[in-house]
Amino acid sequence: MGMGMGMGMGMGAGVSKDADKGGGDRDRAAAEAVAAGAERRPDLAAMMVPLCRSLIAAELPVLEAHGLAMWAYAVLLRLDEATPVRSQAALAEAIGADKTRIIAVLDDLDERGLIRRRPDPADRRVRLLSITPEGRRLRDAVQADIQRGEEELLAPFPAAERESFVRVLRALSDSVASAPARSAAPVRPKGKASG
């Protein structure tokens, strides 16, 4: 699920006010590049969404073979043994899940001994969530199987290109994850009245 859930959940979000401040400069630069005859490339989403769908489809049989649903795997990827997540709502937000729908996933993982939920000593209303050693073993096995499949996908490319692609993708993913939340408001074309 290296790119799976987060990518599918985050597509279509609007642009934040801060991100929009440089919009005029970007629009001008893009127009100048086109006017100068620069080769146009597809939008990132146009390239990434079909790739992500394909990667998710490739992950599903691996997850099924290990007895995990996609959201259960997302939970296991996010949890840590040493530093618990401080609430089910915080976990849901971190993985882009609906906090009301994730309860059943957490119940199942807890019953299977893959995660631990315990009351926070500082606030008994809050449940601390962490992965168990068995959960970590399962997560690591699933991730290894998924990444073996990804290596087959990347195999036609030279090693330096594969490493560069993964490095840039990781940096982009980290950048998006650490950016302020984007507005959910739709982006409207300039000069058009909203209807």
Side-chain angles (χ1 to χ4, degrees), residues 3-83:
M3 294 165 38
M5 300 305 290
M7 188 68 187
M9 301 300 138
M11 299 307 297
V15 177
S16 71
K17 290 178 184 170
D18 290 337
D20 196 41
K21 287 180 183 172
D25 293 339
R26 282 192 303 272
D27 292 346
R28 219 174 358 272
E32 289 170 5
V34 170
E39 182 180 338
R40 293 179 68 183
R41 65 163 174 79
D43 298 338
L44 294 177
M47 293 185 284
M48 295 298 295
V49 169
L51 174 61
C52 288
R53 286 184 183 140
S54 177
L55 290 169
I56 291 168
E59 288 180 8
L60 289 175
V62 175
L63 293 171
E64 288 172 8
H66 287 278
L68 282 179
M70 185 71 75
W71 282 116
Y73 181 52
V75 167
L76 295 179
L77 282 173
R78 181 62 183 85
L79 292 180
D80 186 302
E81 289 173 84
T83 310

Side-chain angles (χ1 to χ4, degrees), residues 71-117:
W71 282 116
Y73 181 52
V75 167
L76 295 179
L77 282 173
R78 181 62 183 85
L79 292 180
D80 186 302
E81 289 173 84
T83 310
V85 173
R86 196 173 176 269
S87 74
Q88 294 175 167
L91 174 65
E93 183 177 338
I95 65 171
D98 181 310
K99 64 183 176 185
T100 59
R101 293 188 179 172
I102 200 171
I103 303 299
V105 173
L106 297 176
D107 288 344
D108 176 61
L109 292 171
D110 194 14
E111 288 169 15
R112 293 169 62 186
L114 302 173
I115 67 168
R116 182 177 300 113
R117 291 188 283 189

Side-chain angles (χ1 to χ4, degrees), residues 85-90 117-129:
V85 173
R86 196 173 176 269
S87 74
Q88 294 175 167
R117 291 188 283 189
R118 64 186 198 287
D120 183 346
D123 183 348
R124 306 289 290 172
R125 297 168 297 175
V126 174
R127 307 285 278 178
L128 298 174
L129 299 129

